[in-house]
Amino acid sequence: MEIDFNEYQLRCELHGHEDDVRGICVCGNDGIATSSRDQTVRFWSLDSSDKRKITCSKILLGHSSFVGPLVWISPNQEFPQGGIVSGGMDTLVLVWDLETVEKVHTLQGHKLQVTAIALDDNGDIISSSVDCTLRRWRNGQSVETWEAHKAPIQAVIKLPSGEIVTGSSDTTLKLWKGKTCLHTFDGHADTVRGLAVMPGLGILSASHDGSLRLWAVSGEVLMEMVGHTAIVYSVDSHTSGLIVSGSEDRFAKIWKDGVCVQSIEHPGCVWDAKFLENGDIVTACSDGTVRIWTVHQDTVADQLELDLFASQLSQYKASRKRVGGLKLEELPDLDSLKIPGTSDGQTKIVREGDNGVAYAWNMSEQKWDKIGEVVDGPEESSRPFHDGAQYDYVFDVDIGDGMPIRKLPYNRSDNPYDVADKWLLKESLPLSFREQIVQFILQNTGQKDITFDASFCDPYTGSNAYVPGQSSYVSDISAKHTFKHIPKKGMLVFDAAQFDGILKKITEFNNALLSDQETHNLSLTEPDVSRLCSVIKTLKDTSYYHSSKFPDSDIALLLNLLQSWPIGMIFPVIDLLRMVVLHPDGATKLHKHFEAKNDILTEVIKKVTANPAIPANLLTSIRTIVNLFKNSCYYNWLQKHCSEILDAFSSCSSSSNKNLHLSYSTLILNYTVLLIESKDQEGQSQVLSAALEIVENENVEGGSKFRTLVAIGSLMLEGLVKKIALDFDVLNVAKAAKGSKEAKIAEVGSDIEVLTRQS
């Protein structure tokens, strides 16, 4: 079905903000207001000399941190030229008079960041906050406040009928008449970040789960729009029926009748997108620029401006793109091929447009022969670290014979023979392993048919290293299949923590409890806060883990917070416990408390996984369970509760949250190791079922899929549940994995396929 639609083109760019542009407010036909991380609000007016252009006419200064939500007050007796209401990270709501460019009211009351603002039919200001509350303001005073959700509120809008709708990190929308909740909308799998009215139809929502939804006011889902590949921050509609959304994936997408009809790429995250009355679209980008897009040919930017934007976009993409272990922009250009090579077969990668192209030196003809385009390496943001340096790959190498796993860092631009030589010397391993290490590198990086200089002289002995083609005294390769990734040995843990952030969040929540008369008795005392600081200090000092101790009272304090604090506030406490269980004394003392308190841990799991589950609670609690596997004193408990733990967190397999996927797959992998060791066939079958469920989810990314496949392969290799795996048609799972572009997933898929054929 063809959809009648005219594509949007750039109309103009608005420059002035010095940091991310976070919010947009369309001020009728008078102009546009924008907010920014640079702590300012800017008002933009139509340029009378050029209808394509809009210029900044006013700057509103008053917030002490980044500014987010904005709302327009139409001109009235109090505001002859209209007004702006802004909310910020500084917890303030400010009311501005555009005629005087002055603050009229400073509204204080929220305890945490203000996330959204709306005006009701009476002119009251409704604000929402990360503190989980809605506040109603009238004439500069707070007249009403209530806890609207059990998790941070991210969005609020007013319907034409007068009701208020909120969206929250608890994944729900709520419809309000006054302080009464008329309906709760369930459906999104993650935070509801943006809301908008769809005239005559209902409510639009944008979510961290990557989707948009159109809801009837009755709560029925009328339409779901899927197309973004990351968090969707904003959504807006136009009387024409068009919808626009902005996302972390750098695209503003335009939708018609539920179909994405255009994707407008930006050189950064699109925080907000709004329609003007004439159908033009305004976008707010993390590059600090506001852009207006139009379908009206008479207002499209001139060719020079269009070319400039295209160039800017290309440069941004090139700055993020990596080829051969190097940033594309750092590669030499074609002029470098004017310099002759020094040896036959010498390779060189040069920049050609937006790609890296490999050339090899032809000594006999004295020229560079083109080999072909080089496959892109990982982006900078995803490249792993090792010993403080960033690499394209950091491999886990299992030497076997009970030896610890070794880390092998590698960049695609490196000579694998050089890397192998240096690594073997560093790890005090026999140089006879050289060719095996080189082949391991080539297979796991997808580099094949590349000729390298294989000469080497041991700097300590002066002897030559193993050379491919020569005999080796080590061992002959057995005809028996050697599994690359299975069985899995040892437990994985989540051992990185932002302790300062954890303490800050606990302090913020405690201040919120203190300020409310109803929850004052739940708050921490100053001595309690000092004890938490002491716990964190002990956890930070890893060099003394062998000797440092925790007082029983500190562990009891943490467990008491788990039981007494509101469900929306316990995730930083869980996160702190996640690290305590990695401390030898902390793990032992927690175990004693768990036994004495009739299994408080099971109660917490039930509490955090009850619908609607808060993603932050799910993530921190599942990672805490994962970390329990480090200490054998928890093995009996983990085995006993295997079924209920897997059931409790089973929703993670269908979630769109990548962090939950990785955590859940790690839980499955640790359970695999434990249950193979204990020869628990019933438990193994439960883990296998959970693993197959998550590996078949197309949205699960490489790292999570790899861990789950390793679990399946390890369980099959053990043999107790191999028949069950075959009944579940695991061969098709293996074949699908073998077709992956990620080498390690393809390899473990091959391992599983071999297992299906073995008797």
Side-chain angles (χ1 to χ4, degrees):
M1 180 182 71
E2 290 189 6
I3 296 177
D4 183 25
F5 172 74
N6 294 319
E7 286 215 340
Y8 280 82
Q9 296 180 329
L10 182 67
R11 170 179 163 182
C12 62
E13 292 187 338
L14 312 184
H15 299 283
H17 283 298
E18 298 174 0
D19 211 331
D20 296 44
V21 185
R22 295 297 298 266
I24 300 166
C25 173
V26 178
C27 306
N29 292 316
D30 297 297
I32 303 163
T34 56
S35 62
S36 170
R37 191 182 290 273
D38 66 9
Q39 305 180 15
T40 71
V41 176
R42 287 177 178 259
F43 186 81
W44 311 81
S45 305
L46 189 66
D47 189 331
S48 57
S49 63
D50 186 346
K51 62 181 179 181
R52 294 179 306 171
K53 304 295 183 184
I54 293 180
T55 57
C56 180
S57 57
K58 305 176 193 296
I59 302 177
L60 312 181
L61 302 170
H63 284 283
S64 59
S65 186
F66 79 71
V67 193
L70 300 170
V71 72
W72 165 243
I73 302 174
S74 300
N76 56 30
Q77 189 173 356
E78 184 180 2
F79 301 104
Q81 292 186 19
I84 297 287
V85 186
S86 61
M89 175 68 91
D90 56 11
T91 76
L92 300 179
V93 177
L94 302 182
V95 183
W96 305 86
D97 185 343
L98 281 181
E99 183 177 35
T100 62
V101 198
E102 296 291 337
K103 282 184 294 184
V104 177
H105 300 297
T106 298
L107 311 181
Q108 294 180 289
H110 283 298
K111 302 299 183 293
L112 299 171
Q113 176 188 346
V114 178
T115 53
I117 304 170
L119 293 182
D120 73 6
D121 292 332
N122 299 317
D124 288 350
I125 296 168
I126 310 293
S127 59
S128 66
S129 169
V130 175
D131 66 14
C132 308
T133 67
L134 284 178
R135 283 184 178 265
R136 182 184 300 274
W137 311 84
R138 186 178 301 145
N139 300 322
Q141 300 296 322
S142 177
V143 294
E144 215 170 28
T145 180
W146 69 100
E147 185 183 80
H149 292 261
K150 296 295 185 182
I153 306 170
Q154 300 288 357
V156 59
I157 57 168
K158 180 188 76 68
L159 299 182
S161 53
E163 293 92 345
I164 295 294
V165 181
T166 54
S168 167
S169 295
D170 65 10
T171 76
T172 70
L173 291 73
K174 288 182 183 289
L175 177 67
W176 301 88
K177 190 173 185 65
K179 293 171 66 174
T180 302
C181 179
L182 303 178
H183 190 76
T184 298
F185 302 67
D186 286 304
H188 279 298
D190 208 334
T191 296
V192 178
R193 189 60 178 263
L195 295 172
V197 174
M198 187 72 179
L201 286 176
I203 304 155
L204 287 164
S205 60
S207 171
H208 284 202
D209 65 15
S211 74
L212 302 162
R213 290 188 177 220
L214 173 61
W215 310 76
V217 176
S218 61
E220 178 188 358
V221 178
L222 303 177
M223 188 187 301
E224 182 175 17
M225 290 156 277
V226 178
H228 284 292
T229 58
I231 292 170
V232 188
Y233 287 115
S234 62
V235 63
D236 195 27
S237 70
H238 189 255
T239 52
S240 64
L242 291 180
I243 295 167
V244 65
S245 55
S247 167
E248 193 176 63
D249 64 11
R250 301 189 296 105
F251 284 93
K253 288 185 179 287
I254 300 156
W255 311 79
K256 186 173 184 180
D257 300 329
V259 177
C260 179
V261 291
Q262 187 179 355
S263 296
I264 305 176
E265 191 171 9
H266 287 64
C269 165
V270 181
W271 286 110
D272 201 1
K274 292 282 194 297
F275 280 105
L276 297 178
E277 289 186 7
N278 69 350
D280 284 3
I281 293 171
V282 188
T283 56
C285 185
S286 61
D287 68 349
T289 303
V290 181
R291 294 178 177 86
I292 301 181
W293 309 84
T294 187
V295 293
H296 307 292
Q297 290 301 310
D298 59 337
T299 57
V300 173
D302 60 38
Q303 193 58 48
L304 181 62
E305 291 173 292
L306 294 175
D307 290 344
L308 190 63
F309 174 72
S311 174
Q312 182 184 1
L313 193 58
S314 177
Q315 288 175 15
Y316 175 82
K317 291 161 70 175
S319 71
R320 293 166 59 86
K321 189 173 182 179
R322 301 189 67 83
V323 176
L326 298 170
K327 286 186 177 180
L328 179 66
E329 61 184 4
E330 294 175 353
L331 292 176
D333 58 24
L334 285 168
D335 287 342
S336 66
L337 297 179
K338 295 176 182 178
I339 304 171
T342 57
S343 60
D344 195 47
Q346 177 188 347
T347 58
K348 179 180 286 189
I349 302 174
V350 300
R351 185 179 69 253
E352 291 187 20
D354 288 340
N355 298 306
V357 179
Y359 286 81
W361 178 247
N362 186 326
M363 184 65 84
S364 61
E365 298 184 22
Q366 289 291 296
K367 67 169 188 170
W368 291 98
D369 291 331
K370 187 173 183 176
I371 300 174
E373 185 178 324
V374 179
V375 178
D376 298 349
E379 289 188 358
E380 182 73 25
S381 59
S382 62
R383 298 177 73 224
F385 283 86
H386 179 67
D387 288 342
Q390 206 168 17
Y391 295 89
D392 290 336
Y393 305 92
V394 176
F395 298 113
D396 287 333
V397 181
D398 188 354
I399 305 299
D401 298 325
M403 300 287 284
I405 299 293
R406 316 289 180 99
K407 297 291 184 182
L408 170 59
Y410 179 74
N411 284 320
R412 291 180 67 91
S413 57
D414 291 340
N415 182 317
Y417 283 97
D418 290 343
V419 171
D421 294 336
K422 292 173 183 175
W423 185 77
L424 290 169
L425 290 173
K426 175 177 178 289
E427 297 291 341
S428 301
L429 294 170
L431 293 172
S432 52
F433 286 157
R434 186 192 198 212
E435 183 62 19
Q436 291 167 269
I437 296 298
V438 169
Q439 291 306 315
F440 173 86
I441 291 172
L442 295 180
Q443 290 170 8
N444 283 280
T445 59
Q447 293 175 292
K448 297 177 181 178
D449 304 322
I450 299 177
T451 303
F452 298 96
D453 178 14
S455 61
F456 174 77
C457 180
D458 188 332
Y460 299 105
T461 66
S463 62
N464 292 327
Y466 169 83
V467 177
Q470 292 183 351
S471 61
S472 169
Y473 67 85
V474 181
S475 61
D476 295 324
I477 302 297
S478 170
K480 183 180 177 182
H481 181 82
T482 302
F483 295 107
K484 286 183 174 294
H485 301 289
I486 59 175
K488 175 71 178 77
K489 301 291 185 183
M491 304 297 186
L492 299 177
V493 296
F494 292 99
D495 56 3
Q498 297 177 340
F499 289 112
D500 293 340
I502 292 172
L503 183 60
K504 182 180 179 183
K505 184 58 67 176
I506 291 175
T507 304
E508 287 176 357
F509 286 156
N510 192 56
N511 290 339
L513 294 172
L514 273 170
S515 63
D516 191 326
Q517 200 62 38
E518 294 181 6
T519 59
H520 188 279
N521 64 312
L522 301 178
S523 62
L524 296 165
T525 63
E526 286 190 20
D528 289 339
V529 174
S530 296
R531 286 159 62 192
L532 288 183
C533 291
S534 176
V535 169
I536 288 175
K537 183 179 179 182
T538 301
L539 291 173
K540 280 183 174 181
D541 200 350
T542 56
S543 60
Y544 286 94
Y545 268 32
H546 64 286
S547 59
S548 55
K549 304 289 183 185
F550 291 103
D552 280 322
S553 57
D554 289 358
I555 303 299
L557 172 62
L558 289 172
L559 297 179
N560 181 58
L561 292 179
L562 280 185
Q563 294 178 298
S564 63
W565 269 25
I567 186 70
M569 294 184 173
I570 61 173
F571 66 86
V573 181
I574 301 173
D575 212 21
L576 195 54
L577 279 172
R578 170 177 68 89
M579 299 307 295
V580 169
V581 300
L582 295 179
H583 186 287
D585 184 62
T588 303
K589 283 194 167 67
L590 269 174
H591 186 256
K592 291 178 180 177
H593 278 273
F594 290 160
E595 290 182 328
K597 290 205 171 190
N598 297 319
D599 207 357
I600 182 179
L601 199 52
T602 306
E603 293 177 19
V604 171
I605 292 172
K606 290 178 181 177
K607 187 176 178 181
V608 300
T609 56
N611 282 326
I614 298 171
N617 283 348
L618 277 179
L619 186 62
T620 51
S621 56
I622 195 171
R623 289 184 170 184
T624 301
I625 302 300
V626 166
N627 285 1
L628 293 179
F629 285 87
K630 186 180 180 182
N631 198 306
S632 59
C633 70
Y634 292 99
Y635 284 1
N636 287 337
W637 182 89
L638 286 164
Q639 192 169 347
K640 177 183 176 183
H641 295 282
C642 172
S643 178
E644 56 192 289
I645 288 173
L646 291 175
D647 286 345
F649 292 108
S650 61
S651 63
C652 298
S653 64
S654 57
S655 169
S656 61
N657 187 309
K658 298 170 187 175
N659 291 324
L660 279 178
H661 287 167
L662 185 63
S663 301
Y664 188 55
S665 61
T666 307
L667 176 69
I668 288 171
L669 190 53
N670 279 358
Y671 257 123
T672 296
V673 176
L674 175 64
L675 298 174
I676 286 175
E677 188 175 315
S678 61
K679 301 189 182 303
D680 181 342
Q681 183 172 0
E682 182 180 353
Q684 287 182 38
S685 64
Q686 292 169 342
V687 173
L688 176 66
S689 177
L692 289 168
E693 186 176 349
I694 193 170
V695 83
E696 290 172 1
N697 183 346
E698 293 180 357
N699 295 319
V700 173
E701 292 196 340
S704 304
K705 186 158 288 188
F706 174 72
R707 293 185 181 188
T708 312
L709 287 166
V710 170
I712 293 170
S714 299
L715 289 166
M716 291 180 65
L717 186 63
E718 171 66 14
L720 293 179
V721 294
K722 184 176 179 180
K723 173 67 169 60
I724 299 173
L726 293 172
D727 291 341
F728 276 122
D729 201 14
V730 76
L731 180 58
N732 281 335
V733 171
K735 288 179 177 178
K738 276 184 68 179
S740 172
K741 294 180 180 179
E742 295 189 45
K744 63 181 183 179
I745 291 179
E747 288 165 359
V748 74
S750 177
D751 287 347
I752 295 173
E753 186 179 45
V754 169
L755 284 169
T756 64
R757 293 171 180 162
Q758 290 180 349
S759 58

